[in-house]
């Protein structure tokens, strides 16, 4: 097996592209894919200030490193969500990468800073810890980006994530989510910062190769709450299809982005946005869920 670029011995086979690469050419291919995605969807350019969402896992660590190496103006942000030792371990990984490479990093701790506890909230509101965690993360990343004058919030979502989310949304015909699933979520309100996914066309496996080849430390374990999540089942189903027919995930996602998504556009335009009466951030209700969470947790502490 020869590398398609330099004709030396190949080490990495990418069946969906019917291509193989040596280590060096794989890194070239990877970085090229990322910059192509950024340009294709006009995500940002070198003048923009980007806030990168970093969890310490392979995908976000790859995102951080590749954006820095490509010369983008990127500040990383990590949120400690109070998920026991998992959170502490991931915070260490992120902080050590930032200090080793002298990179700017913003760290938020939801318990220390806002008194939030996702387990208490999950019990009180009878919602899964993941859905509480998701709302908190979306709120804080947007708020920090807005307050800090950032042009975009970048996340490490990969092809496997995006294809699994799409499958889940199609299976239950979630029109609103389908309307908003894209590599770029444009700014629909002055206080809602653009969201971008520069790795949307790269697989989990490719991100893993990228961090391993670059000797980047990352947290190998997944969040304990992801066990049994439906998204994992969807990923397994798609992996089976991919094995039988390489390129399935890519065709599924790209086909949706190119042909399917536009049919859902009018659904998202109907969402009425307003500003939270307590904090002023954008929400669809009178008070945003973050402010309600803070009240619930602080009230519980007093009683
Ligand atoms: Fe949020 Fe797992 S990362 S619940
Ligand atoms: Zn609020």
């Amino acid at each position: 097996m020869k590398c398609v670029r330099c004709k030396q011995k190949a080490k990495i086979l990418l069946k969906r592209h019917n291509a193989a690469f040596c280590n060096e050419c794989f890194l070239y291919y990877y970085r090229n894919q990322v910059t192509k995605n950024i340009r294709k969807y006009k995500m940002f350019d070198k003048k923009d200030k980007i806030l990168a969402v970093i969890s310490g896992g392979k995908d976000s660590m790859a995102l951080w490193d590749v954006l820095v190496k490509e010369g983008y103006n990127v500040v990383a942000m990590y949120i400690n969500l109070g998920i026991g030792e998992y959170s502490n371990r991931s915070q260490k990984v992120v902080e050590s990468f930032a200090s080793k490479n002298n990179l700017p990093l913003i760290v938020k701790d939801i318990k220390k800073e806002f008194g939030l506890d996702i387990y208490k909230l999950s019990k009180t509101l009878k919602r899964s810890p993941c859905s509480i965690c998701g709302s908190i993360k979306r709120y804080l990343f947007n708020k920090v980006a807005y307050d800090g004058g950032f042009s975009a919030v970048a996340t490490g979502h990969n092809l496997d994530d995006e294809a699994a989310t799409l499958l889940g949304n199609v299976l239950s015909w979630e029109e609103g989510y389908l309307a908003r699933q894209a590599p770029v979520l444009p700014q629909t309100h002055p206080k809602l910062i653009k969201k971008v996914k520069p790795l949307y066309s790269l697989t989990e496996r490719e991100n893993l190769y990228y961090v391993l080849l670059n000797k980047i430390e990352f947290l190998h374990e997944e969040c304990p709450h992801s066990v049994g999540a439906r998204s994992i089942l969807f990923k397994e189903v798609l992996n089976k299809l991919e094995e039988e027919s390489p390129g399935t995930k890519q065709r599924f996602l790209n086909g949706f982005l190119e042909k399917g998504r536009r049919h859902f556009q009018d659904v998202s335009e109907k969402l009425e946005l307003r500003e939270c009466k307590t904090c002023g951030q954008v929400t669809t209700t009178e008070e945003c869920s973050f402010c309600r969470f803070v009240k619930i947790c602080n009230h519980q502490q007093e009683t």
Side-chain angles (χ1 to χ4, degrees):
M1 199 170 59
K2 281 188 181 157
C3 169
V4 289
R5 191 164 164 258
C6 73
K7 312 293 176 219
Q8 302 289 307
K9 194 171 179 297
K11 295 257 173 66
I12 298 165
L13 174 66
L14 299 184
K15 276 196 188 157
R16 70 197 167 99
H17 291 309
N18 203 10
F21 293 104
C22 69
N23 290 346
E24 203 179 305
C25 292
F26 169 77
L27 291 176
Y28 174 86
Y29 148 84
Y30 184 97
R31 287 171 64 163
N32 207 25
Q33 285 281 312
V34 177
T35 50
K36 234 168 64 185
N37 291 344
I38 293 172
R39 280 197 304 270
K40 179 173 175 190
Y41 282 94
K42 298 189 176 61
M43 294 184 182
F44 44 79
D45 60 35
K46 299 267 161 88
K47 295 189 295 294
D48 290 322
K49 212 169 128 191
I50 314 304
L51 187 70
V53 171
I54 307 299
S55 68
K58 60 184 181 330
D59 304 299
S60 60
M61 294 305 282
L63 172 76
W64 192 1
D65 187 76
V66 74
L67 292 184
V68 169
K69 285 195 174 133
E70 288 299 325
Y72 290 104
N73 179 4
V74 47
V75 175
M77 175 168 162
Y78 169 85
I79 304 180
N80 187 315
L81 293 145
I83 307 172
E85 274 309 300
Y86 166 78
S87 286
N88 299 338
R89 280 195 290 272
S90 53
Q91 184 167 344
K92 268 194 202 127
V93 167
V94 174
E95 284 178 336
S96 111
F97 186 77
S99 71
K100 254 189 224 154
N101 298 287
N102 206 10
L103 300 172
L105 169 68
I106 298 170
V107 174
K108 294 265 164 201
D109 187 312
I110 62 161
K111 206 169 231 165
K112 285 188 199 148
E113 224 170 300
F114 308 99
L116 289 172
D117 180 329
I118 59 169
Y119 299 106
K120 259 190 205 167
L121 288 164
S122 154
K123 244 195 196 159
T124 315
L125 299 167
K126 297 188 178 51
R127 275 172 60 182
S128 75
C130 289
S131 87
I132 307 271
C133 162
S135 313
I136 294 175
K137 286 195 282 200
R138 277 193 298 278
Y139 177 90
L140 282 177
F141 284 120
N142 188 73
K143 179 159 173 42
V144 169
Y146 175 71
D147 292 345
F150 286 86
S151 321
V153 173
T155 56
H157 289 98
N158 57 44
L159 177 58
D160 300 72
D161 299 325
E162 292 299 288
T165 305
L166 178 58
L167 180 59
N169 289 338
V170 166
L171 289 177
S172 46
W173 292 112
E174 294 281 4
E175 293 173 286
Y177 290 140
L178 287 166
R180 276 172 280 140
Q181 183 168 358
V184 169
L185 259 195
Q187 195 159 15
T188 47
H189 183 285
K191 286 188 173 176
L192 276 184
I193 305 303
K194 173 158 118 176
K195 310 286 179 316
V196 297
K197 300 171 185 168
L199 309 186
Y200 83 94
S201 67
L202 290 148
T203 61
E204 264 176 22
R205 198 169 138 255
E206 286 159 38
N207 291 339
L208 179 65
Y209 282 137
Y210 182 86
V211 289
L212 292 175
L213 291 176
N214 282 296
K215 300 191 173 52
I216 297 166
E217 253 187 78
F218 65 98
L219 199 71
H220 295 243
E221 64 200 290
E222 298 279 340
C223 164
H225 301 298
S226 66
V227 180
R230 273 186 346 143
S231 59
I232 295 189
L233 175 62
F234 297 145
K235 278 188 183 174
E236 283 167 5
V237 170
L238 287 164
N239 284 343
K240 282 217 173 102
L241 293 169
E242 184 77 27
E243 240 174 71
E244 293 294 323
S245 169
T248 299
K249 290 178 203 171
Q250 191 176 306
R251 281 194 301 276
F252 181 45
L253 183 68
N254 288 352
F256 168 72
L257 294 174
E258 281 155 27
K259 301 176 212 159
R261 190 172 170 263
R262 60 173 176 264
H263 300 294
F264 299 94
Q265 283 323 289
D266 54 333
V267 183
S268 65
E269 278 153 22
K270 281 185 199 134
L271 261 183
E272 198 200 315
L273 299 176
R274 44 166 124 172
E275 294 187 6
C276 166
K277 64 171 187 186
T278 310
C279 72
Q281 282 287 296
V282 181
T283 171
T284 48
T285 45
E286 202 183 333
E287 187 173 45
C288 75
S289 52
F290 188 87
C291 288
R292 279 182 278 141
F293 292 169
V294 171
K295 278 186 191 157
I296 292 172
C297 286
N298 292 310
H299 173 71
Q300 283 191 346
Q301 267 165 17
E302 283 157 24
T303 51

